[in-house]
Amino acid sequence: MNRALMPRKLQWKWLGCSLLLCLATTSMTAALSSLSKAIAATTEIAQASVRPTLRIGSTGSAVSELQALLTLLGYFNNPIDGNYEDTTEAAVQAFQTDIGITSDGVVGPATWEKLLPTPSTEFTPPEVPETAAEAADTAKEEEETPIELPTLRQGMRGPAVTRVQETLKARGFYTAAIDGVFGPATETAVMDFQRSEQLATDGVVGPATWQALLQ
C-alpha cells in the first residue's frame, strides 16, 4: 500500500513500528559486538595464563616465578636466579609429593594449576614445613601419646604377631619360625613368658603382656 494513501493514524503506527525495528536491530548489533569482544578478551586471558613446561635446564622469568612461589610455600631456600637446577627440581618434587601428584620434578599444567589455582579450582595449600622448635614440640606430643597395641591371640597373623615372635625369641621363649602367624607354638611361648612375669597365663597378648614384652 502506498504510504501517501494511508490514513494519518496508520502512518504514525507504521513509523513507530519502523523506529522500534531500527532500535532493536541496533541494540542486537551492539550486543553481538560486545559478546565478540568479551570472547576475544577471554581467549587472550586464557592464552596468557598458559605457562611453559619447566624441567632441569630451563631458564628465564618463568623459572624465577616458580622459585618465588616455592620459596613462599617453604619448599625452596636457595637464591631465585631463574635457573632450573637440582635444588629447584628437589623443591618441585617435594611440593608434588605433598599435593598428591606424580613426583617427576617436571612443572607441567597440573603442577602450575596447584601453584597458581584459578578461582574455580579448589586448592588446599600444603602445610609449610615445621620449624625445629615446632618439630620438637610435635615429637614430644607424639611421645606422650599412648600407643594402642592390638590384642593378639591364637589364629591371628600380621606384623604385630611377627614383633611378638621376635621379642619372645630374643628372650629365649620362642624357637619356631618367625612367620607372623599366631599358632600353638606362639601361644605356648606367650604363656611361658607370662608365667615368668607372673602375669595371667592365658596365652593372649593384651596390654599387660605388651608392656612386659616391650620393657
Side-chain angles (χ1 to χ4, degrees):
M1 179 183 291
N2 191 333
R3 194 173 64 181
L5 300 177
M6 290 182 182
R8 185 172 297 275
K9 183 180 291 186
L10 289 177
Q11 289 182 14
W12 282 109
K13 287 184 178 181
W14 186 88
L15 287 172
C17 290
S18 298
L19 180 60
L20 288 174
L21 180 61
C22 181
L23 290 173
T25 302
T26 302
S27 299
M28 184 177 296
T29 302
L32 289 174
S33 177
S34 299
L35 180 59
S36 298
K37 290 179 181 178
I39 292 173
T42 302
T43 302
E44 289 177 2
I45 293 173
Q47 290 174 344
S49 65
V50 175
R51 288 178 167 76
T53 297
L54 304 177
R55 52 172 56 86
I56 286 285
S58 298
T59 59
S61 59
V63 178
S64 296
E65 181 183 20
L66 168 68
Q67 291 172 330
L69 289 168
L70 292 171
T71 297
L72 289 173
L73 293 172
Y75 289 91
F76 189 69
N77 299 316
N78 296 81
I80 297 173
D81 56 9
N83 296 316
Y84 199 118
E85 298 176 345
D86 292 340
T87 53
T88 304
E89 183 184 54
V92 169
Q93 289 176 327
F95 174 76
Q96 290 171 328
T97 298
D98 285 350
I99 62 175
I101 63 177
T102 302
S103 179
D104 56 6
V106 176
V107 183
T111 303
W112 275 120
E113 184 179 281
K114 296 300 184 181
L115 285 166
L116 293 169
T118 59
S120 61
T121 302
E122 295 184 2
F123 172 61
T124 302
E127 295 181 2
V128 176
E130 295 178 324
T131 62
E134 291 172 338
D137 290 341
T138 301
K140 184 177 179 181
E141 290 176 1
E142 290 177 353
E143 289 178 359
E144 294 174 353
T145 303
I147 299 173
E148 295 184 4
L149 296 169
T151 297
L152 305 176
R153 53 175 51 86
Q154 187 170 174
M156 301 181 74
R157 61 180 64 210
V161 177
T162 301
R163 176 71 183 276
V164 169
Q165 291 173 333
E166 291 173 344
T167 304
L168 291 171
K169 191 163 191 174
R171 296 198 178 194
F173 292 93
Y174 184 70
T175 58
I178 297 176
D179 54 8
V181 178
F182 201 125
T186 303
E187 183 182 52
T188 299
V190 169
M191 293 174 68
D192 290 342
F193 174 75
Q194 290 172 327
R195 195 174 295 109
S196 70
E197 295 292 324
Q198 298 181 347
L199 299 172
T201 310
D202 56 6
V204 176
V205 182
T209 303
W210 270 119
Q211 184 177 355
L213 283 168
L214 300 176
Q215 284 181 350

